């Protein structure tokens, strides 16, 4: 059975927007999966001081993969794009997070879904709302309510890419 997963993308090294575009291409190639949509790109300051600014986006992926198989596939894409896990919250070429996986509530050591920090992060909620404005989270929270409590302040929405290379 196919499930709709939402994936958070983030990068703050080595041409972040290009990293996100490459990652979206890699998501398009995942087995048993269909990239159903991608949000605009948003730029914002790092939540931790002293790091370059991040570019973030959210993708909608319909997938036959099981959650941990999807996590393995996302980590392989991160590795392909040169991510080194030097420090836990350090700068990174690419971060791919499973935000939501259908209506599943998942809490195992490798994976927590809904993603722990998504409820209060503007750089997750606003791109997610582009794809699914009426979304209800499996823990009962409503996206529009979370947005109302999470100011857009500090987010910069990048112009939508157009032309033959865009999705
Ligand atoms: N800050 C922003 N703006 N975007 C991120 O993706 C992001 N990721 C992180 C920390 C360092 C918490 N800050 C971030 O891991």
């Amino acid at each position: 059975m196919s499930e709709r997963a939402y994936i958070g993308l983030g990068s703050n090294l080595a041409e972040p927007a290009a990293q996100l575009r490459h990652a979206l291409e890699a998501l398009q190639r995942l087995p048993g999966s269909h990239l159903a949509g991608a949000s605009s790109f948003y730029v914002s300051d790092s939540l931790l001081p002293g790091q370059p600014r991040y570019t973030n986006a959210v993708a909608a992926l319909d997938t036959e993969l099981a959650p941990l198989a999807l996590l393995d596939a996302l980590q392989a894409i991160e590795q392909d794009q040169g991510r080194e896990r030097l420090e836990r919250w350090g700068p990174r070429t690419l971060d791919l997070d499973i935000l939501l996986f259908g209506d599943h509530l998942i809490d195992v050591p490798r994976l927590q879904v809904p993603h722990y920090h998504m409820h209060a992060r503007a750089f997750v909620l606003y791109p997610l709302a582009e794809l699914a404005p009426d979304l209800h989270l499996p823990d009962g929270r409503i996206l529009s309510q979370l947005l109302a409590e999470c100011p857009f302040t500090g987010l910069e929405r990048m112009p939508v890419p157009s032309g033959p290379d865009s999705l």
Side-chain angles (χ1 to χ4, degrees), residues 7-10 18-31 33 35 59 61 65 69-85 93-97:
I7 316 282
L9 299 86
Q19 297 293 340
L20 264 52
R21 281 194 294 273
H22 284 139
L24 290 169
E25 287 165 13
L27 290 176
Q28 274 177 323
R29 292 192 298 267
L30 281 187
S33 305
L35 183 62
L61 188 77
L65 296 173
L70 177 60
L71 181 63
D72 287 339
L74 298 183
Q75 290 182 346
I77 295 171
E78 290 178 343
Q79 297 302 322
D80 279 351
Q81 292 189 214
R83 173 151 181 195
E84 294 176 17
R85 287 178 179 269
T93 49
L94 183 63
D95 192 21
L96 296 175
D97 291 326

Side-chain angles (χ1 to χ4, degrees), residues 10-11 44-48 51 54 56 89-90 92 95 121 123:
S11 169
S44 58
D45 286 342
S46 172
L47 296 179
L48 295 181
Q51 289 189 18
Y54 276 83
N56 291 102
W89 300 106
R92 70 283 307 270
D95 192 21
R121 289 188 169 173
F123 61 80

Side-chain angles (χ1 to χ4, degrees), residues 34-118:
H34 168 70
L35 183 62
S39 73
S40 320
F41 292 0
Y42 292 78
V43 177
S44 58
D45 286 342
S46 172
L47 296 179
L48 295 181
Q51 289 189 18
R53 279 158 71 79
Y54 276 83
T55 302
N56 291 102
V58 171
L61 188 77
D62 293 327
T63 185
E64 308 270 348
L65 296 173
L68 289 178
L70 177 60
L71 181 63
D72 287 339
L74 298 183
Q75 290 182 346
I77 295 171
E78 290 178 343
Q79 297 302 322
D80 279 351
Q81 292 189 214
R83 173 151 181 195
E84 294 176 17
R85 287 178 179 269
L86 297 176
E87 38 171 322
R88 178 130 199 243
W89 300 106
R92 70 283 307 270
T93 49
L94 183 63
D95 192 21
L96 296 175
D97 291 326
I98 302 175
L99 303 170
L100 297 168
F101 192 92
D103 281 332
H104 294 244
L105 292 165
I106 303 170
D107 189 1
V108 296
R110 282 188 69 204
L111 183 63
Q112 292 81 41
V113 177
H115 190 271
Y116 270 155
H117 301 295
M118 67 175 286

